[in-house]
């Protein structure tokens, strides 16, 4: 009877220890899992601690009970973590579907790659400015061809050249936030850093032209994350991508640029050009030929889709 009572006591002690350990785990919280884009790394689980079993039969039984208790607790924690990770992955996959979800402002979280309108519409987007040499030349070319474009501006450059931001807005072009300083690795940075880059960049542009809305956000190098898209949409900015990229920033030559942008175009394309980040003479030359060519092909010019998928 003493053996049976002792065993029962040990079992009860083991159950109590398990409940206490699970309570501590719950109080501490399940380890947070990063977004599936890898912008925030999850800390690795701590390795199991090593404990020596007490000497003697009773000590061995107690050690076994403690081991079973901790193993059960670890299993419960691991199962909860796996469940949380699965839910996070499902949520991220759902959010990644273009236009599937909307922010509190009604702006879709999906990345826009289509021009507004239907049929033969095209959206011209200009990145990495404003630049005192190239932005005026791009503006003049757009003006001569009666084209309105979307200018994705870097915050620090907008802060440095506010008169160019005002010139862009005065000509009726749309404004797009391209972050504070074009950090193409920001998708691997903490969410707080992404928020600062997005919101401060927007504020810098807005300060140059009070009252003029910044209606899009384009991540540097396309480095979007679910978090950055949600931050942008909550601020009234549609995440903006592209569907045609001639890589004019790399200066491949006028012929190569035109070959790409005049090739087989998708329906309602969003075309990417640059007015900042270096010598943009090839871009200006390409626009002078490309814009009349589009008009001859029966295309109309519009802005990127903002409220539809």
């Amino acid at each position: 009877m003493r053996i049976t009572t002792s065993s029962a006591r040990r079992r009860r002690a083991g159950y109590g220890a398990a409940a206490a350990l699970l309570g501590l785990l719950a109080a501490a919280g399940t380890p947070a899992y990063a977004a599936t884009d890898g912008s925030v790394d999850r800390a690795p689980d701590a390795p199991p601690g090593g404990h020596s079993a007490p000497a003697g039969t009773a000590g061995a039984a107690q050690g076994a009970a403690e081991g079973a208790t901790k193993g059960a607790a670890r299993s419960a924690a691991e199962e909860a973590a796996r469940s949380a990770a699965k839910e996070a992955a499902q949520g991220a996959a759902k959010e990644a579907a273009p236009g599937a979800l909307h922010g509190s402002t009604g702006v879709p979280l999906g990345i826009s790659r289509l021009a507004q309108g239907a049929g033969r519409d095209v959206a011209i987007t200009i990145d990495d400015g404003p630049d005192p040499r190239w932005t005026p030349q791009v503006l003049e070319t757009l003006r001569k061809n009666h084209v309105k474009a979307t200018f994705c501006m870097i915050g620090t450059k907008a802060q440095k050249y506010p008169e160019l931001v005002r010139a862009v807005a005065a000509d009726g072009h749309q404004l797009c936030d391209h972050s504070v300083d074009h950090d193409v690795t920001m998708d691997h940075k903490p969410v707080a850093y992404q928020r600062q880059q997005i919101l401060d960049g927007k504020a810098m542009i807005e300060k140059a032209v009070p009252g003029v809305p910044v209606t899009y956000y384009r991540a540097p190098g396309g480095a979007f994350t679910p978090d950055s898209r949600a931050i942008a949409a909550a601020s009234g900015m549609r995440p903006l991508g592209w569907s045609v990229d001639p890589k004019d920033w790399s200066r491949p030559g006028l012929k190569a640029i035109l070959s790409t942008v005049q090739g087989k175009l998708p329906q309602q394309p969003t075309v990417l050009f640059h007015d900042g980040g270096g010598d943009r003479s090839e871009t200006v030359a390409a626009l002078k030929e490309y814009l009349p060519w589009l008009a001859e092909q029966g295309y109309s010019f519009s802005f990127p889709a903002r409220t539809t998928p």
Side-chain angles (χ1 to χ4, degrees), residues 14-277:
Y15 298 151
L21 184 55
L22 288 171
L24 289 172
L25 287 169
T30 303
Y33 276 74
T36 55
D37 53 54
S39 57
V40 181
D41 292 327
R42 180 175 64 89
D45 296 331
H51 298 281
S52 299
T57 304
Q62 182 178 350
E66 289 175 354
T69 296
K70 292 176 182 178
R74 283 196 299 272
S75 296
E78 288 169 358
E79 181 60 31
R82 281 193 294 270
S83 177
K86 182 178 180 181
E87 290 179 8
Q90 290 173 341
K94 184 179 179 182
E95 183 179 330
L101 296 176
H102 292 69
S104 59
T105 59
V107 176
L109 302 182
I111 299 171
S112 175
R113 293 185 173 90
L114 297 176
Q116 293 176 10
R120 300 179 74 78
D121 291 276
V122 59
I124 302 295
T125 63
I126 314 291
D127 280 25
D128 296 355
D131 180 272
R133 180 176 182 182
W134 304 112
T135 301
Q137 294 184 46
V138 170
L139 283 174
E140 179 63 20
T141 303
L142 294 171
R143 195 178 300 122
K144 286 182 177 179
N145 289 276
H146 309 288
V147 174
K148 304 301 181 185
T150 301
F151 282 76
C152 301
M153 299 183 173
I154 296 173
T156 52
K157 292 188 177 181
Q159 189 176 54
K160 188 174 182 179
Y161 305 111
E163 71 284 357
L164 293 177
V165 183
R166 290 190 287 270
V168 168
D171 274 8
H173 303 291
Q174 291 286 306
L175 300 179
C176 171
D177 173 13
H178 203 29
S179 82
V180 171
D181 53 14
H182 203 270
D183 180 357
V184 296
T185 67
M186 63 183 289
D187 56 330
H188 297 292
K189 303 290 179 65
V191 175
Y193 176 84
Q194 297 178 50
R195 181 178 293 108
Q196 175 265 325
Q197 283 281 316
I198 295 167
L199 299 185
D200 286 3
K202 180 174 184 280
M204 290 173 176
I205 298 168
E206 290 174 333
K207 186 176 180 180
V209 281
V212 178
V214 178
T215 49
Y216 303 91
Y217 166 69
R218 174 171 279 167
F224 284 101
T225 69
D227 290 307
S228 69
R229 291 188 284 112
I231 292 165
S235 300
M237 298 183 293
R238 179 68 189 269
L240 177 59
W242 57 82
S243 54
V244 180
D245 179 10
K247 301 188 185 302
D248 59 314
W249 57 269
S250 66
R251 302 186 65 199
L254 176 60
K255 184 177 180 180
I257 294 173
L258 290 175
S259 176
T260 299
V261 297
Q262 291 179 347
K264 186 177 180 180
L265 297 178
Q267 187 175 17
Q268 298 167 254
T270 295
V271 186
L272 174 63
F273 289 104
H274 295 77
D275 64 339

